[in-house]
Amino acid sequence: MTSSRMTGSALFRHLGPRLFSAASASRAAASVEPSYTLLLSPSRAPAPLLLRLLAVRMGSTSASPALGGEPKKEDEAKSAADAEKEVANAPPTERMLVSRYWGIDRYKIAKEDGTPWRWTCFMPWEAYKSDTSIDLKKHHVPTTFLDKIAYWLVKTLRFPTDIFFQRRYGCRAMMLETVAAVPGMVGGMLLHLRSLRRFEHSGGWIRALMEEAENERMHLMTFMEVAQPRWYERALVLAVQGIFFNAYFLGYLISPKFAHRVVGYLEEEAIHSYTEFLKDLDDGKIQNGPAPAIAIDYWCLPPDATLKDVVIVVRADEAHHRDVNHFASDIHYQGLELKSTPAPLGYH
């Protein structure tokens, strides 16, 4: 054993300076750089930004020189930060190489006519045609105590809304959609967590409620093209959304049937508001301009669609939300869980 230790010490004295010197480290980095180029650059031309970034990452793990003391960790950290800053400010071609290194290629998406897809908030396969033949006059008559509380709560909330917005329906729709997208997200999130806790399926209700939230968000993206919010309206959104999110979250934890019934009555009021919106468009009180481009692509509308066409399909979406939430509340009233009844078909 003693002889083996002596042999190891002798080898280390002779080979240590060669293996762990600064010159050998630089030669190793130089020998590695071409491999990055071959992997990431189709033309086998060096990609300076990517090589600088990877060189910093690889160099930070190299050993310190045998006779040079402690490594300069502050310099390495500064070099890494500078390299990452260069990535953020680099031209698109060099950023593409970095993305390819992480396996994230930005693929090109085109419409059916071959034109480039211009939206990032939804994809072509998420577009659909709204069912405008849905019954708009359905109403759930409140019979139980919780139903009556939900009904009059919604009626009470409508009163200050009418005073604030009056008949400015474009701005009203944009502002209210910031709140309308909350219930589906809260309900879907809580059902998701429940499914994880109990190791059970949800009957498709998680996806149904998440689709509802996404659909309401697309309503907002559409009406942002119609009316731009003022500063005090943005402040109002922050306050109302914060209050409503927490209130609905607690309400759903206490009584999901009550929470879904509230949303069902909210959707009935939304149908009424969009019907009044259409009346003002027909009477010429609101200009019936061309439909926003995002609405044409999302609802598969004809190229010459107008704002009236957009309001019609949005109103049909709200009627679908009304039916889904009243249906979910009825399931709870029957003493059943949502997982026991398959969710209604979605929008797509």
Side-chain angles (χ1 to χ4, degrees):
M1 182 176 294
T2 303
S3 60
S4 63
R5 288 181 179 178
M6 295 177 61
T7 305
S9 300
L11 287 175
F12 184 79
R13 282 195 302 270
H14 288 285
L15 299 179
R18 297 183 181 182
L19 293 176
F20 303 110
S21 64
S24 62
S26 62
R27 286 195 301 271
S31 64
V32 172
E33 283 185 358
S35 64
Y36 299 143
T37 306
L38 292 175
L39 287 173
L40 300 172
S41 179
S43 60
R44 297 191 178 184
L49 175 63
L50 185 59
L51 295 181
R52 285 197 298 272
L53 178 61
L54 294 177
V56 170
R57 296 297 189 188
M58 298 297 290
S60 63
T61 60
S62 60
S64 59
L67 303 176
E70 296 294 329
K72 298 180 180 179
K73 295 182 179 179
E74 295 181 358
D75 294 342
E76 291 178 355
K78 184 177 180 181
S79 299
D82 293 341
E84 291 178 356
K85 188 180 295 183
E86 289 184 14
V87 170
N89 299 326
T93 54
E94 293 192 2
R95 285 203 304 268
M96 188 180 301
L97 291 176
V98 176
S99 298
R100 193 177 301 153
Y101 169 73
W102 294 113
I104 305 174
D105 283 330
R106 181 61 183 175
Y107 47 86
K108 294 182 179 180
I109 304 175
K111 299 167 64 175
E112 292 182 356
D113 57 3
T115 57
W117 185 257
R118 56 184 296 189
W119 313 111
T120 56
C121 55
F122 74 102
M123 294 292 107
W125 51 86
E126 297 174 332
Y128 70 102
K129 292 184 178 181
S130 185
D131 180 15
T132 56
S133 64
I134 190 170
D135 187 359
L136 302 173
K137 297 181 180 180
K138 279 185 181 179
H139 169 64
H140 182 276
V141 179
T143 54
T144 66
F145 178 69
L146 282 181
D147 281 358
K148 293 177 181 179
I149 293 179
Y151 179 78
W152 288 110
L153 175 62
V154 172
K155 287 295 184 182
T156 303
L157 292 175
R158 183 182 177 86
F159 180 71
T161 305
D162 289 339
I163 294 177
F164 184 83
F165 293 107
Q166 297 182 0
R167 299 193 70 85
R168 295 184 295 124
Y169 287 108
C171 185
R172 180 191 188 115
M174 178 194 62
M175 298 294 292
L176 294 183
E177 295 295 352
T178 63
V179 176
V182 171
M185 180 61 65
V186 172
M189 175 187 68
L190 291 177
L191 289 178
H192 174 74
L193 296 176
R194 181 176 182 174
S195 175
L196 297 179
R197 290 195 310 270
R198 297 191 175 186
F199 303 93
E200 63 186 16
H201 295 283
S202 69
W205 280 96
I206 296 175
R207 181 177 296 275
L209 294 177
M210 288 297 188
E211 280 190 355
E212 176 184 317
E214 177 66 12
N215 183 253
E216 296 283 12
R217 190 183 67 86
M218 288 305 302
H219 293 176
L220 172 63
M221 297 296 105
T222 297
F223 284 109
M224 281 176 56
E225 304 293 329
V226 178
Q228 293 296 325
R230 302 179 178 91
W231 69 267
Y232 60 86
E233 291 171 337
R234 291 179 179 270
L236 180 64
V237 168
L238 292 175
V240 173
Q241 190 181 79
I243 295 172
F244 183 74
F245 177 90
N246 290 284
Y248 192 81
F249 179 83
L250 292 176
Y252 203 97
L253 287 176
I254 297 171
S255 176
K257 60 184 176 183
F258 174 74
H260 281 293
R261 189 69 75 200
V262 168
V263 177
Y265 286 129
L266 284 173
E267 299 297 352
E268 290 184 14
E269 294 297 330
I271 294 171
H272 173 74
S273 297
Y274 284 116
T275 301
E276 294 296 315
F277 196 168
L278 288 172
K279 289 181 180 178
D280 283 2
L281 285 170
D282 291 335
D283 295 340
K285 297 179 181 179
I286 300 177
Q287 184 180 2
N288 187 24
I294 189 172
I296 293 176
D297 287 341
Y298 183 67
W299 283 285
C300 301
L301 298 174
D304 58 347
T306 62
L307 179 58
K308 180 180 178 179
D309 299 321
V310 175
V311 176
I312 290 174
V313 294
V314 170
R315 184 179 61 173
D317 287 348
E318 305 295 1
H320 183 76
H321 301 161
R322 172 205 62 194
D323 295 345
V324 169
N325 281 277
H326 280 316
F327 176 63
S329 184
D330 288 340
I331 293 174
H332 284 290
Y333 272 113
Q334 294 172 5
L336 303 175
E337 294 185 357
L338 289 183
K339 67 173 184 177
S340 63
T341 305
L345 294 178
Y347 307 96
H348 311 124

